[in-house]
Amino acid sequence: MTLTPQPVPLPSPIGVETISLAETLGRGALAIAAYAALGVILLIIGFYVIDMAIPGKLSHLIKSDRNPNATLLTASGLAAVGLIVAASIWSSGGALHEGLLATAVFGLVGIAVQTVAMIAFDKIAGMSVRALVSEPELQPGARLLAVTHLVIGLITAVAVI
């Protein structure tokens, strides 16, 4: 004689809704899609803000001119935005609407802070971003500004958490 385990009914609290696996996965997939879409939008905004701060058409500087300084500054700026977006998602605690709003606000603040940092870098450090991007070879100042972008992104991301 073999014994087959029988399901044991568990008491459920009154007023608590049971959510199916499919519903949980659907909600999770929608949340991922919403955060991903917002992240892409913030990255595009970040790209165009960097484009406005750098002389010349940024996509042309990177794609056609293969300018390493413009590429490094853009990549570090976008990585910093990505850090901020990731931290905002992490700190949302599963509240989708509030998390999306916080991610949008913090992402835009991060982009603004990076822009101010680029202007301050120009004025305080005396190293012109415009001059950096006009150089065909990778410049030490571009490396320094790239690290500054990443650090500002990290600081903003930790502040969000």
Side-chain angles (χ1 to χ4, degrees), residues 72-84 114 117 142-158:
L72 181 61
L73 295 177
T74 303
S76 63
L78 295 180
V81 171
L83 284 169
I84 296 164
Q114 287 179 5
R143 292 181 185 119
L144 180 61
L145 184 53
V147 171
T148 303
H149 276 189
L150 291 173
V151 170
I152 289 169
L154 183 60
I155 289 168
T156 307
V158 171

Side-chain angles (χ1 to χ4, degrees), residues 14-150:
I14 297 174
V16 174
E17 178 185 336
T18 304
I19 299 174
S20 70
L21 177 60
E23 192 174 354
T24 300
L25 292 174
R27 286 182 183 176
L30 286 174
I32 290 169
Y35 277 116
L38 179 58
V40 168
I41 290 167
L42 288 169
L43 289 172
I44 291 169
I45 291 169
F47 180 86
Y48 282 108
V49 168
I50 294 168
D51 191 19
M52 288 187 294
I54 291 176
K57 183 79 173 136
L58 190 54
S59 58
H60 180 77
L61 286 169
I62 293 170
K63 186 177 176 182
S64 300
D65 295 350
R66 304 175 55 90
N67 184 295
N69 299 300
T71 303
L72 181 61
L73 295 177
T74 303
S76 63
L78 295 180
V81 171
L83 284 169
I84 296 164
V85 169
S88 297
I89 294 168
W90 177 269
S91 68
S92 70
L96 181 61
H97 294 99
E98 293 86 355
L100 288 169
L101 179 60
T103 300
V105 169
F106 295 143
L108 291 171
V109 167
I111 291 168
V113 169
Q114 287 179 5
T115 305
V116 169
M118 240 180 0
I119 294 167
F121 188 80
D122 250 359
K123 304 296 180 207
I124 296 169
M127 290 184 233
S128 168
V129 174
R130 293 180 186 279
L132 287 174
V133 217
S134 66
E135 293 291 330
E137 300 295 322
L138 188 59
Q139 298 298 306
R143 292 181 185 119
L144 180 61
L145 184 53
V147 171
T148 303
H149 276 189
L150 291 173

